[in-house]
Amino acid sequence: AQKVTQAQTEISVVEKEDVTLDCVYETRDTTYYLFWYKQPPSGELVFLIRRNSFDEQNEISGRYSWNFQKSTSSFNFTITASQVVDSAVYFCALKSFGNEKLTFGTGTRLTIIP
Amino acid sequence: DSGVTQTPKHLITATGQRVTLRCSPRSGDLSVYWYQQSLDQGLQFLIQYYNGEERAKGNILERFSAQQFPDLHSELNLSSLELGDSALYFCASSVEVGHANYSTDTQYFGPGTRLTVL
């Protein structure tokens, strides 16, 4: 069975602070894919990043960075110098090779206080 | 904009009724997925179609059905609606690539249809 845990239900930080969203996953599969999606107040789900299980290289995209650690089954997401536009619910998701569905965590609601 | 379109954006109906949600995938994508987002269940996978055929099934109720048409758009039919069916319904699409016909591609989501059952 697959499981994604986002233990942080809600986080509030002041604008320009850095913030890290945690994601821990469980799977018995050796090949799998991890994703982060953003759901702003408007409601749509926006794809942010995908990471394959065989690629543990961390990634940075502007103010966003992702830390994938297989040893701890974690795929954490850091926003540097947060902005009000970053306020949203962020979902971590897991997909195993051979399984068509995405398994989502419960999401972390991030509020950036101006 | 993901390129996935969903109509209608909002739908308000009464218990016992039937509704149809429509989804058009991104150009070139053969797979369509349906997800339900509710407060108590979170984001749950319902069903997947690939090039017109059902590929995978998740937590989809028997009152719900879906299909994918030759032009690759998909419809999700919800019948005998109950209050608990009120939710945000998402469609996603992906290109079918990978080995053994399993998709390894990213799923891109539409804006969702918010269904309210009164």
Side-chain angles (χ1 to χ4, degrees), chain B residues 50-70:
Chain B
Y50 168 65
N51 204 19
E53 294 196 3
E54 182 184 306
R55 171 65 64 85
K57 225 168 183 176
N59 302 321
I60 188 165
L61 300 171
E62 284 192 13
R63 300 184 285 108
F64 296 0
S65 65
Q67 54 184 327
Q68 186 179 27
F69 295 86

Side-chain angles (χ1 to χ4, degrees), chain A residues 37 39 50 95 100 102, chain B residues 35 37 48 90 103-104 107:
Chain A
Y37 287 86
Q39 187 173 37
R50 160 204 168 107
K95 181 180 182 306
E100 298 295 345
L102 279 171
Chain B
Y35 289 82
Q37 184 180 28
Q48 181 216 358
F90 285 106
S103 173
T104 60
Q107 294 178 25

Side-chain angles (χ1 to χ4, degrees), chain A residues 101-114:
Chain A
K101 73 170 190 177
L102 279 171
T103 298
F104 284 88
T106 50
T108 297
R109 181 177 298 277
L110 176 64
T111 302
I112 308 300
I113 303 165

Side-chain angles (χ1 to χ4, degrees), chain B residues 8-30:
Chain B
K9 194 167 177 57
H10 300 279
L11 202 46
I12 302 174
T13 188
T15 54
Q17 295 298 305
R18 172 189 168 95
V19 297
T20 297
L21 314 184
R22 183 188 167 105
C23 166
S24 292
R26 295 185 316 158
S27 177
D29 285 0
L30 300 179

Side-chain angles (χ1 to χ4, degrees), chain B residues 4-11 20-24 34 73-76 89 91 111-114:
Chain B
V4 178
T5 60
Q6 290 186 249
T7 56
K9 194 167 177 57
H10 300 279
L11 202 46
T20 297
L21 314 184
R22 183 188 167 105
C23 166
S24 292
W34 287 97
H73 91 271
S74 177
E75 292 181 356
L76 179 66
Y89 291 85
C91 168
T113 293
R114 184 168 296 281

Side-chain angles (χ1 to χ4, degrees), chain A residues 23-48:
Chain A
C23 172
V24 174
Y25 62 92
E26 293 176 32
T27 179
R28 293 180 186 160
D29 298 300
T30 54
T31 302
Y32 53 89
Y33 311 90
L34 294 163
F35 303 82
W36 276 94
Y37 287 86
K38 173 182 179 180
Q39 187 173 37
S42 51
E44 72 270 28
L45 273 172
V46 179
F47 165 72
L48 294 178

